[in-house]
Amino acid sequence: MQQTSKNFKTNVIKALHDETLQQAMNKAKGGFVEKRRIAVENLPEFEQIKQHGIATKNHSLDNLADYLEHFESKVIENGGQVHWASSPAEARQLVVDLCKQADAKSIAKGKSMIGEEINLNEALEAEGFEAIETDLGEYIIQLAGEPPSHIIAPAVHKSKAQIVDLFREHHKPLGYTGSLDTIPEIVNEAREILRDKFLNADVGITGANFMIAETGTTMIVTNEGNGDLSATLPKSHIVLASIDKVVPTLEDCSNLLRLLARSATGQETTTYTTFFSGPKPRPDGTQSEFHVVLIDNGRSEMLFNEYREMLRCIKCGTCMYHCPVYSNIGGHAYGWVYPGPMGSVLTPLMTGLKQSKDLPNASSFCGRCAEACPMSIPLPDLLRHHREKEFEQRLSPASQRWGLKLWASLAKRPALYRLLSGIGIKTMKLLSKNGRVKRLPLLGNWQNSREFPAPTGETFMQQWKKNKGNKA
Ligand code: SF4
């Protein structure tokens, strides 16, 4: 997918003026937050499970190489193969080669964010494979030629009317002209088309929510069962997973699952939870192939830098709807695969800070994301690291850098700071009208949608001294 994080500000303006998007976001955001809240409240031991999950992920990361090697040996023991890819290009090539080996024409894909991260669909199409997304949301955005706008609800930005138009445009040539007035009618039409794709697929590609080292198992959760059909019917099953997905045991995995479902969709458990532990017998008596492609893409570097905690992420997406910025602009504005607070941390790490320098600033630092995160990832702190780097690398605007330097220098000289802030407050008071200050020099567009309340005319220190004097 083409990265447009560089155009973040333009994307935001477009998103804020897109009425359909705004309606879809308004409808979706409250629902997700509320469902999660109820699910968490209904599980008194949620905090205990959360702490256990965090400890599991920390332990897995501390021993990542060992668990990955153990996982590999178990997959091989089970009759499967493990392939290692350090970059997206290597991962794409590996998958393309595996599809060629399987003499594939048609590929059924389950939902996989890592597939989006490595831009797999484009590579498969360029090699002449027909790759069909089988998760309903992914299928919709594939028809629309768009990237996902949320990691668990990829088509959340689409209205029903837009989906009906898409289906009519793409399904009419296939002979589908029936009514699409209701959600079940829409779902049934997609189901009929996808059933055929499952039956004819030569290769199935799925992601993995977790990989279990002790058994060499990969696991996925879905609500549609499409992942199971993608993995079970074709003669070859390829699992794509980033290296941070490995956990030691089945118990660890089941504990994390309790956090994932509640945090992602407010469900106690997802409709389908499927474990894959190697090749499967096929109806014609042959065995299917089982491949796991393990992708690094900068994660082993993150293990040893200040972004390590981000590797605990279980991709539940809860930080997105708890973020006031994401809730207003949706996912596409972020311009790459991962939106919202977690995306604003990951995108600069994976695509370069220069390409995405606005993302770490797309946060009010309210901390709601970190509070809601089931892995307690300190997202605002990680965003702050990016901001520090922007400052060091001179990626932030010169006016901002000079402003910060000036402020830092004044903060070290209290007498001068008090004198100047006193003058500043008096000036603001003079510039105010009806209790508000409309525009101040140097603040530029920041004031387009904000007004300062008029100051009282005294600084905090002046008021404090006066109060102290009165009390004495
Ligand atoms: S950062 Fe936390 S809340 Fe956001 S997707 Fe990852 S685990 Fe979920």
Side-chain angles (χ1 to χ4, degrees):
M1 103 181 233
Q2 203 197 347
Q3 193 195 355
T4 64
S5 311
K6 230 178 180 172
N7 310 329
F8 179 73
K9 287 180 181 162
T10 325
N11 295 347
V12 167
I13 293 169
K14 218 170 117 197
L16 291 174
H17 289 94
D18 182 337
E19 267 179 43
T20 317
L21 172 72
Q22 289 301 319
Q23 277 167 13
M25 294 306 295
N26 281 334
K27 212 165 141 192
K29 64 184 171 193
F32 270 95
V33 170
E34 190 56 10
K35 275 190 203 155
R36 175 201 166 269
R37 189 189 62 76
I38 294 168
V40 171
E41 265 180 23
N42 286 342
L43 186 71
E45 65 270 36
F46 185 84
E47 190 54 35
Q48 207 181 326
I49 292 171
K50 179 174 153 182
Q51 293 310 324
H52 187 298
I54 293 169
T56 299
K57 287 294 280 183
N58 283 342
H59 171 79
S60 309
L61 294 172
D62 288 345
N63 301 281
L64 190 60
D66 292 342
Y67 283 123
L68 284 171
E69 278 172 19
H70 195 71
F71 171 79
E72 180 184 34
S73 67
K74 282 288 167 187
V75 172
I76 295 169
E77 209 177 293
N78 297 340
Q81 291 176 51
V82 174
H83 313 264
W84 301 79
S86 61
S87 67
E90 260 183 57
R92 286 194 295 267
Q93 194 55 53
L94 269 166
V95 177
V96 165
D97 290 346
L98 289 171
C99 293
K100 283 184 181 167
Q101 262 175 45
D103 202 13
K105 287 185 181 55
S106 175
I107 298 164
K109 285 186 73 228
K111 187 170 164 306
S112 152
M113 288 314 292
I114 192 88
E116 300 282 349
E117 183 183 310
I118 64 168
N119 216 356
L120 183 60
N121 279 2
E122 238 169 68
L124 292 173
E125 276 156 27
E127 292 288 339
F129 299 112
E130 186 201 28
I132 300 286
E133 294 291 347
T134 61
D135 169 89
L136 182 60
E138 288 281 344
Y139 176 66
I140 290 166
I141 58 164
Q142 189 180 32
L143 293 183
E146 292 174 10
S149 67
H150 189 282
I151 60 173
I152 55 153
V156 71
H157 59 289
K158 288 263 177 247
S159 67
K160 188 176 144 223
Q162 285 175 322
I163 296 168
V164 170
D165 287 348
L166 265 177
F167 274 27
R168 273 298 143 265
E169 183 193 336
H170 291 268
H171 296 170
K172 205 171 167 187
L174 306 175
Y176 288 88
T177 52
S179 151
L180 289 176
D181 293 337
T182 63
I183 305 276
E185 282 171 348
I186 295 173
V187 173
N188 279 337
E189 187 165 301
R191 181 181 283 139
E192 272 184 43
I193 287 170
L194 289 173
R195 277 289 139 121
D196 229 30
K197 303 291 178 193
F198 289 125
L199 288 169
N200 292 315
D202 306 296
V203 170
I205 299 179
T206 64
N209 291 92
F210 299 106
M211 301 184 289
I212 299 127
E214 69 171 350
T215 53
T217 302
T218 69
M219 192 277 291
I220 53 167
V221 291
T222 68
N223 277 319
E224 297 164 21
N226 64 302
D228 307 56
L229 290 171
S230 301
T232 313
L233 298 177
K235 58 188 172 203
S236 180
H237 176 201
I238 303 172
V239 178
L240 304 176
S242 54
I243 55 171
D244 52 311
K245 293 287 175 89
V246 73
V247 294
T249 64
L250 279 164
E251 279 80 9
D252 293 325
C253 175
S254 70
N255 183 68
L256 285 162
L257 264 178
R258 300 180 78 190
L259 291 173
L260 177 62
R262 285 174 173 86
S263 303
T265 50
Q267 290 169 285
E268 284 182 15
T269 183
T270 36
T271 313
Y272 300 91
T273 301
T274 314
F275 295 83
F276 303 110
S277 293
K280 296 167 278 290
R282 304 193 65 237
D284 62 3
T286 59
Q287 288 275 102
S288 66
E289 286 182 22
F290 183 70
H291 299 274
V292 183
V293 178
L294 292 176
I295 302 160
D296 184 328
N297 196 20
R299 289 172 174 87
S300 45
E301 211 175 300
M302 284 165 68
L303 254 189
F304 301 103
N305 64 26
E306 60 270 58
Y307 301 100
R308 181 189 175 98
E309 291 188 87
M310 196 62 223
L311 293 172
R312 282 205 304 267
C313 178
I314 54 171
K315 306 283 184 323
C316 68
T318 207
C319 54
M320 291 166 200
Y321 280 121
H322 285 81
C323 172
V325 178
Y326 175 91
S327 302
N328 281 291
I329 62 173
H332 286 169
Y334 291 81
W336 199 54
V337 178
Y338 302 115
M342 58 85 83
S344 297
V345 174
L346 280 178
T347 306
L349 293 172
M350 292 184 171
T351 67
L353 189 56
K354 204 173 169 188
Q355 296 293 321
S356 45
K357 63 185 169 63
D358 288 322
L359 302 189
N361 298 296
S363 167
S364 61
F365 276 4
C366 63
R368 225 178 148 214
C369 52
E371 258 173 46
C373 174
M375 289 288 107
S376 279
I377 297 172
L379 292 154
D381 291 348
L382 302 184
L383 292 173
R384 196 174 289 114
H385 288 316
H386 279 320
R387 291 190 188 182
E388 284 160 9
K389 290 201 165 56
E390 278 176 16
F391 187 86
E392 284 158 21
Q393 294 171 25
R394 296 165 171 252
L395 295 173
S396 42
S399 55
Q400 200 182 85
R401 277 182 283 121
W402 281 108
L404 281 171
K405 275 186 189 160
L406 180 67
W407 182 85
S409 148
L410 286 177
K412 286 181 220 155
R413 296 170 179 82
L416 188 59
Y417 185 92
R418 269 181 233 132
L419 176 73
L420 291 179
S421 54
I423 296 172
I425 294 253
K426 286 206 170 75
T427 315
M428 275 174 80
K429 175 107 176 123
L430 283 174
L431 292 173
S432 64
K433 211 174 163 188
N434 301 329
R436 316 294 297 173
V437 185
K438 285 231 184 292
R439 291 207 82 83
L440 286 170
L442 301 176
L443 293 182
N445 291 339
W446 196 80
Q447 301 165 101
N448 284 355
S449 53
R450 299 172 180 89
E451 282 179 359
F452 275 108
T456 57
E458 284 177 325
T459 65
F460 171 79
M461 289 302 284
Q462 284 163 344
Q463 289 182 45
W464 179 70
K465 271 191 189 150
K466 208 193 265 174
N467 281 349
K468 214 171 128 194
N470 288 344
K471 274 183 195 158

